[in-house]
């Protein structure tokens, strides 16, 4: 085994890297510092963590209407089967289940393509028979084995009906894109008529400038007469069985809240789960974003809209965190200067905020990951997502320090840099400054980037539609890239010197042009918003600033030693030995390029210029050069690394006294991936979930 990175944990060896299968690598993260929390804080964390784990099945159902039934079937076989568990077919079955667990469903968590099992239907039926289990209905088997059925969870391909071609369960089967769009246009119109009005797609009234998050917490379906209606996710509605458990633990957390303000946040969230009212949801997010004093914080609910091709319906996620005091001083230094950054950004004055408000930035440690943050997690989070709430009350921004630390530890010396970075000097630059600059890039992206700029009055915040997420991520990334190279970073003691930023510039573009392609299947386009954004920025710069960056092919001596006969044959083509590398010729000019693109992207966002957004994204963000793609995949395969990573949660042990009061909570790192998944399915399962 390669790269076994470990540190001493008491008597035990702590391994950041855990299981590896398919394109996935499981990591573990540590919750160091948990032991220094007060008992009250520990109990608070624990109840909130329970609330975060209880939402798991909601996400599974949101990701596809067959997911829970399939999981139940596969787990039954996995735990019951007493026959040969070492043969190739069973190992394939096991890998399939592990992939399904990882994705919270039968589609790839990132690419959203359906997995093809490496075993046959006959084999599964044989296992089921030998376990004495009931034979499932054929429709369920078809969903697993028939490639043409539900091939994609989120389809973003232009020109197709995005709902009819997406397997996600946010819209009942048969609801078309045109119907759904008309339904929510009508909701917006009615809202405007009762509170203000919309003219030519633009909100004219101040009240109407504070739109609700229409559609975010419901499934759109048909009633008995065939009319469209929303099935709202709430205690007495859809997903009620899970939501009631979430509410129970939120209620139990309230007495341990760190302040009255935080208690009010939790009470309001409970009220939202009980009523499903979007007004209450806005109120909850407003209270939540203003509660910045507490050390323990959490997210729990319907949050991100990446899983809905129309970008309206929010997937369920939950996590709990506590403050990393030391690292937070870093981001505070930055966010204190929010106004300076806004004033000095290269965007047009009309699109700037005159007053930057409430940009809070913390480095935190995750204590538990749940729902759409588990096992694959973000490392930086900026919420809430409602535009007017952000503009009026600011947003909370976090970098999850213990997750980035686990990534860093696991990536050390795995050969990736040596393969893809152009020369030794650049490698050394990245070794030296890569980590500190990447953390900083995340901070800038989350704390300042997403919070910067303003939408012109009257512009519909959803004007960019399917391109909105990509443009928004590009905006935050460009903001971070542009300022990373500013003298201010050295003045604030955030970067050690005025060339450290080059490490991030290089790796960012290398990723956008080359290495992120390892996450794409041959022949596919780029779909995910963050990836599209990175591709957009990198290819735009490559096209418009040839004096700053170039793609160079360097012929490398074929490494014949140890190569198989076929390998030698394939290498003879001459072209095969050529490798593409990013060359940065002029870092200062590159910074200018980032500034120019930032100004344009901000204009597109501020004016709601849908056409320009579409052109930029489609031209630079979506397509993949097939030859380069093949080459990158080949080079990457030779390194034998997993392109996707996710985390195993710690397990919390609760100690109680004779009266049943909690006297301590301790994290353990002793569960395997399969043990944890099976335990979650046992302990946090809502049969059928309705
Ligand atoms: Zn972002």
């Amino acid at each position: 085994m390669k790269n076994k990175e470990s540190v001493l944990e008491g008597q035990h060896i702590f391994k950041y890297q855990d299981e590896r299968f398919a394109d996935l690598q499981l990591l573990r993260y540590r919750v160091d510092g948990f032991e220094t929390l007060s008992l009250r804080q520990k109990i608070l964390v624990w109840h909130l963590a329970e609330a975060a784990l209880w939402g798991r099945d909601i996400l599974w159902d949101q990701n596809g209407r067959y997911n829970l039934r399939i999981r139940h079937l596969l787990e039954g076989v996995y735990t019951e089967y007493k026959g040969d568990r070492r043969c190739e077919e069973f190992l394939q079955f096991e890998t399939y289940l592990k992939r399904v667990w990882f994705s919270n469903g039968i589609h790839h968590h990132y690419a959203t393509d359906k997995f093809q099992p490496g075993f046959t239907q006959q084999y599964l039926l044989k296992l089921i028979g030998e376990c004495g289990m009931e034979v499932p209905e054929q429709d369920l088997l078809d969903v697993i084995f028939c490639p043409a059925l539900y091939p994609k969870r989120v389809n973003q391909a232009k020109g197709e009906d995005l709902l009819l071609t997406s397997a996600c369960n946010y819209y009942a089967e048969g609801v078309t894109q045109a119907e759904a769009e008309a339904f929510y246009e009508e909701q917006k119109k009615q809202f405007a008529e009762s509170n203000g009005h919309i003219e030519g797609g633009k909100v004219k009234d101040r009240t109407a400038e504070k739109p609700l998050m229409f559609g975010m917490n419901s499934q759109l379906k048909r009633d008995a007469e065939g009319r469209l209606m929303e099935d709202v996710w709430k205690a007495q509605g859809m997903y009620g069985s899970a939501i009631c458990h979430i509410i129970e633990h939120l209620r139990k957390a309230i007495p341990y809240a760190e302040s009255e303000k935080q208690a009010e946040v939790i009470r309001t969230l409970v009220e939202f789960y009980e009523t499903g009212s979007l007004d209450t949801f806005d109120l909850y997010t407003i209270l939540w974003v203003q509660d910045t004093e507490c050390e323990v914080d959490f997210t729990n609910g319907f949050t991100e809209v990446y899983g809905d091709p129309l970008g309206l319906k929010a997937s369920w996620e939950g996590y709990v965190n506590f403050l990393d005091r030391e690292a937070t001083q870093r981001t505070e230094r930055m966010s204190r200067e929010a106004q300076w950054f806004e004033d000095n950004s290269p965007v047009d004055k009309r699109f700037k905020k005159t007053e930057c408000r409430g940009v809070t930035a913390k480095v935190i440690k995750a204590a538990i990951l749940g729902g759409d943050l588990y096992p694959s997690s973000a490392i930086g989070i900026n919420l809430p997502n409602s535009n007017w709430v952000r503009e009026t009350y600011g947003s909370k921004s976090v970098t999850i320090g213990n997750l980035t630390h686990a990534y860093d530890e696991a990536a050390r010396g795995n050969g990736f840099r040596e393969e893809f970075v152009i020369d030794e000097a650049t490698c050394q630059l990245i070794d030296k400054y890569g980590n500190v600059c990447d953390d900083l890039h995340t901070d800038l992206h989350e704390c300042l980037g997403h919070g910067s700029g303003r939408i012109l009055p009257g512009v519909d915040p959803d004007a960019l539609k399917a391109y909105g997420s990509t443009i928004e991520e590009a905006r935050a990334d460009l903001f971070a890239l542009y300022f990373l190279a500013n003298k201010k970073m050295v003045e604030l003691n955030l970067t050690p010197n005025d060339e450290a930023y080059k490490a991030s510039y290089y790796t960012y573009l290398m990723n956008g042009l080359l290495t992120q392609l390892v996450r794409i299947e041959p022949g596919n386009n780029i779909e995910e918003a963050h990836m599209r954004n990175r591709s957009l920025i990198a290819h735009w710069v490559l096209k418009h600033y040839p004096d700053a960056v170039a793609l160079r092919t360097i012929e490398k001596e074929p490494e014949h030693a140890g190569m198989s006969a076929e390998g030698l044959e394939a290498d003879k083509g001459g072209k095969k030995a050529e490798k593409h590398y990013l060359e940065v010729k002029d870092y200062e000019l590159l910074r200018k390029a980032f500034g120019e693109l930032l100004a344009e992207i901000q204009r597109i966002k501020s004016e709601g210029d849908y056409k320009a957004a579409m052109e930029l994204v489609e031209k630079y963000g979506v397509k993949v050069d097939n030859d380069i793609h093949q080459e990158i995949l080949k080079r990457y395969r030779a390194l034998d690394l997993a392109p996707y990573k996710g985390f195993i949660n710690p397990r919390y042990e609760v100690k109680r006294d004779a009266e049943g009061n909690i006297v301590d909570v301790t994290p353990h790192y002793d569960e395997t991936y399969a043990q944890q998944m099976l335990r979650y399915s046992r302990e946090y399962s809502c049969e059928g979930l309705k």
Side-chain angles (χ1 to χ4, degrees):
M1 280 252 302
K2 276 193 247 161
N3 0 300
K4 237 192 245 166
E5 286 295 326
S6 53
V7 296
L8 285 175
E9 184 217 4
Q11 298 296 315
H12 308 285
I13 300 289
F14 184 89
K15 290 198 195 83
Y16 286 96
Q17 289 205 6
D18 206 277
E19 266 184 77
R20 161 82 212 271
F21 51 87
D23 54 357
L24 303 171
Q25 168 82 61
L26 267 305
L27 306 177
R28 286 177 194 273
Y29 64 97
R30 299 180 56 89
V31 286
D32 293 332
F34 185 82
E35 68 285 353
T36 66
L37 298 178
S38 70
L39 179 59
R40 283 180 57 92
Q41 287 175 316
K42 287 179 185 174
I43 298 173
L44 174 65
V45 168
W46 185 71
H47 281 302
L48 292 173
E50 289 290 296
L53 293 172
W54 267 109
R56 182 172 178 249
D57 284 2
I58 296 177
L59 178 73
W60 279 73
D61 191 69
Q62 288 178 321
N63 280 346
R65 53 186 66 85
Y66 293 93
N67 282 335
L68 284 170
R69 282 168 66 196
I70 291 173
R71 186 184 82 195
H72 190 72
L73 174 73
L74 299 175
E75 287 179 347
V77 170
Y78 187 69
T79 47
E80 290 304 316
Y81 185 62
K82 301 286 188 298
D84 182 1
R85 297 176 73 101
R86 302 234 152 197
C87 68
E88 179 57 23
E89 274 184 307
F90 192 85
L91 294 177
Q92 288 288 344
F93 168 79
E94 187 176 30
T95 299
Y96 179 75
L97 172 57
K98 285 181 173 179
R99 297 183 83 180
V100 171
W101 275 333
F102 194 96
S103 297
N104 298 289
I106 58 172
H107 298 86
H108 194 279
H109 73 288
Y110 208 82
T112 84
D113 297 312
K114 192 167 80 170
F115 299 128
Q116 270 314 294
F119 54 94
T120 62
Q121 180 173 313
Q122 289 86 324
Y123 180 69
L124 180 61
L125 288 170
K126 176 178 112 76
L127 295 181
I128 290 168
E130 286 179 31
C131 293
M133 289 164 57
E134 212 176 297
V135 177
E137 286 151 33
Q138 188 58 40
D139 69 326
L140 201 63
L141 295 169
D142 289 344
V143 173
I144 298 175
F145 290 101
C146 175
L149 212 52
Y150 305 110
K152 204 147 184 78
R153 176 164 60 82
V154 190
N155 181 28
Q156 297 277 23
K158 216 174 98 197
E160 293 175 23
D161 186 306
L162 301 183
L163 297 192
L164 295 182
T165 52
S166 294
C168 60
N169 193 23
Y170 295 113
Y171 305 85
E173 203 127 27
V175 175
T176 68
Q177 181 178 354
E179 282 180 309
E181 281 173 351
F183 183 88
Y184 286 107
E185 276 311 312
E186 181 62 23
Q187 270 200 0
K188 282 188 195 174
K189 208 177 108 209
Q190 282 178 15
F191 176 79
E193 276 164 7
S194 56
N195 295 276
H197 67 284
I198 294 179
E199 238 177 45
K202 290 182 177 178
V203 182
K204 292 289 182 196
D205 182 275
R206 195 186 149 276
T207 322
E209 275 172 17
K210 301 178 175 177
L212 301 170
M213 306 282 278
F214 294 108
M216 67 153 257
N217 67 330
S218 65
Q219 185 194 51
L220 189 61
K221 64 178 206 184
R222 292 182 205 283
D223 65 13
E225 273 82 54
R227 283 175 308 218
L228 288 178
M229 59 158 295
E230 289 184 319
D231 203 348
V232 177
W233 306 328
K234 57 178 183 176
Q236 302 301 322
M238 192 171 171
Y239 299 150
S241 55
I243 288 171
C244 286
H245 285 290
I246 295 169
I247 289 174
E248 181 198 333
H249 281 282
L250 290 175
R251 285 223 174 92
K252 284 180 180 166
I254 292 171
Y256 300 97
E258 289 183 76
S259 65
E260 177 44 37
K261 222 173 176 177
Q262 189 178 45
E264 188 58 23
V265 171
I266 304 174
R267 276 195 292 269
T268 312
L269 176 58
V270 168
E271 193 192 319
F272 164 65
Y273 274 133
E274 281 172 337
T275 61
S277 153
L278 293 176
D279 265 323
T280 310
F281 181 76
D282 278 349
L283 178 61
Y284 154 67
T285 59
I286 291 165
L287 291 169
W288 177 81
V289 83
Q290 290 178 314
D291 174 31
T292 53
E293 302 297 306
C294 297
E295 287 202 20
V296 174
D297 202 359
F298 70 100
T299 294
N300 187 299
F302 307 106
T303 310
E304 302 290 357
V305 295
Y306 305 111
D308 171 9
L310 302 188
L312 296 174
K313 313 226 164 257
S315 65
W316 194 94
E317 71 180 39
Y319 83 116
V320 187
N321 66 73
F322 58 95
L323 190 67
D324 182 337
R325 294 187 197 98
E326 212 180 284
T328 294
Q329 289 176 355
R330 179 181 82 214
T331 53
E332 277 174 349
R333 251 177 287 155
M334 187 188 297
S335 56
R336 264 199 299 272
E337 303 280 340
Q339 193 64 52
W340 181 91
F341 284 97
E342 187 76 5
D343 295 344
N344 286 278
S345 97
V347 315
D348 191 291
K349 264 217 310 284
R350 293 178 300 141
F351 310 140
K352 285 186 185 184
K353 277 198 181 116
T354 43
E355 196 190 338
C356 274
R357 221 171 312 186
V359 185
T360 71
K362 289 200 278 188
V363 180
I364 51 145
K365 293 186 180 190
I368 204 86
L369 304 169
D372 218 356
L373 290 169
Y374 170 81
S376 171
S377 175
I379 49 170
I381 299 179
N382 182 308
L383 290 172
N385 282 332
S386 164
N387 264 303
W388 76 264
V389 174
R390 298 168 68 87
E391 277 169 22
T392 319
Y393 299 95
S395 59
K396 262 197 229 178
S397 184
V398 297
T399 303
I400 312 179
N402 57 339
L403 300 191
T404 57
H405 180 72
Y407 277 126
D408 289 345
E409 289 296 328
R412 225 167 260 272
N414 61 16
F416 183 82
R417 259 172 220 170
E418 290 74 5
E419 175 58 38
F420 290 105
V421 174
I422 189 163
D423 54 32
E424 183 54 31
T426 312
C427 261
Q428 279 175 12
L429 193 75
I430 296 167
D431 279 341
K432 231 174 172 171
Y433 305 121
N435 284 357
V436 58
C437 283
D438 286 351
D439 280 354
L440 217 60
H441 180 275
T442 310
D443 295 342
L444 280 164
H445 173 115
E446 298 293 344
C447 316
L448 301 177
H450 279 308
S452 73
R454 65 182 198 116
I455 294 178
L456 289 185
V459 171
D460 179 357
D462 295 330
L464 304 181
K465 301 201 165 102
Y467 301 104
S469 297
T470 300
I471 291 294
E472 176 56 21
E473 292 310 322
R475 205 171 69 86
D477 263 356
L478 286 163
F479 192 96
L481 289 164
Y482 181 76
F483 280 110
L484 205 53
N486 196 287
K487 283 199 301 289
K488 191 86 175 172
M489 303 313 277
V490 186
E491 273 168 36
L492 290 171
N493 209 6
L494 293 165
T495 49
N497 56 49
D498 56 12
E499 68 157 11
Y501 76 93
K502 293 177 183 173
S504 254
Y505 274 28
Y506 191 90
T507 49
Y508 188 91
L509 291 185
M510 179 179 82
N511 195 19
L513 292 173
L514 303 172
T515 48
Q516 74 166 357
L517 294 177
V518 304
R519 296 170 157 213
I520 305 281
E521 295 287 330
N524 285 6
N525 283 336
I526 303 174
E527 309 249 351
E528 198 274 338
H530 295 81
M531 286 183 74
R532 282 186 166 186
N533 133 52
R534 288 191 285 264
S535 173
L536 187 166
I537 292 174
H539 285 100
W540 186 91
V541 169
L542 187 67
K543 173 84 195 296
H544 292 86
Y545 281 82
D547 292 335
V549 293
L551 268 187
R552 255 180 61 191
T553 51
I554 299 178
E555 239 175 276
K556 296 264 163 161
E557 284 295 307
E559 290 158 40
H560 288 174
M563 204 181 244
S564 67
E566 295 104 294
L568 267 176
E569 199 52 47
D571 247 29
K572 272 186 190 155
K575 199 180 157 217
K576 288 280 192 297
E578 264 184 7
K579 292 180 173 182
H580 282 85
Y581 294 89
L582 163 72
E583 183 190 11
V584 178
K585 300 178 189 169
D586 186 338
Y587 280 96
E588 271 177 47
L589 186 60
L590 181 51
R591 176 173 191 248
K592 191 171 158 271
F594 288 147
E596 187 184 320
L597 185 55
L598 172 58
E600 171 62 4
I601 295 263
Q602 181 64 56
R603 182 197 67 74
I604 290 171
K605 170 105 180 176
S606 293
E607 294 179 350
D609 188 343
Y610 175 79
K611 193 164 162 280
M614 178 176 72
E615 276 167 14
L616 264 186
V617 176
E618 293 291 342
K619 191 161 180 196
Y620 300 107
V622 178
K623 288 184 211 81
V624 177
D625 177 308
N626 193 43
D627 288 345
I628 291 185
H629 192 192
Q630 294 292 349
E631 173 206 315
I632 298 298
L633 288 175
K634 190 175 162 221
R635 289 162 70 184
Y636 188 75
R637 263 195 304 272
L639 295 172
D640 195 28
L641 302 172
Y644 302 100
K645 296 173 180 69
F647 294 95
I648 300 173
N649 276 324
R651 176 182 67 83
Y652 289 91
E653 183 194 5
V654 173
K655 289 202 183 76
R656 295 176 191 269
D657 64 14
E659 278 87 57
N661 304 307
I662 298 176
V663 293
D664 202 8
V665 183
T666 338
H668 294 285
Y669 309 100
D670 54 358
E671 263 179 326
T672 66
Y673 174 63
Q675 281 169 344
Q676 183 157 90
M677 285 297 179
L678 289 170
R679 179 169 68 85
Y680 286 176
S681 294
R682 256 188 342 263
E683 295 182 1
Y684 305 97
S685 159
C686 308
E687 277 308 318
L689 196 82
K690 269 284 166 175

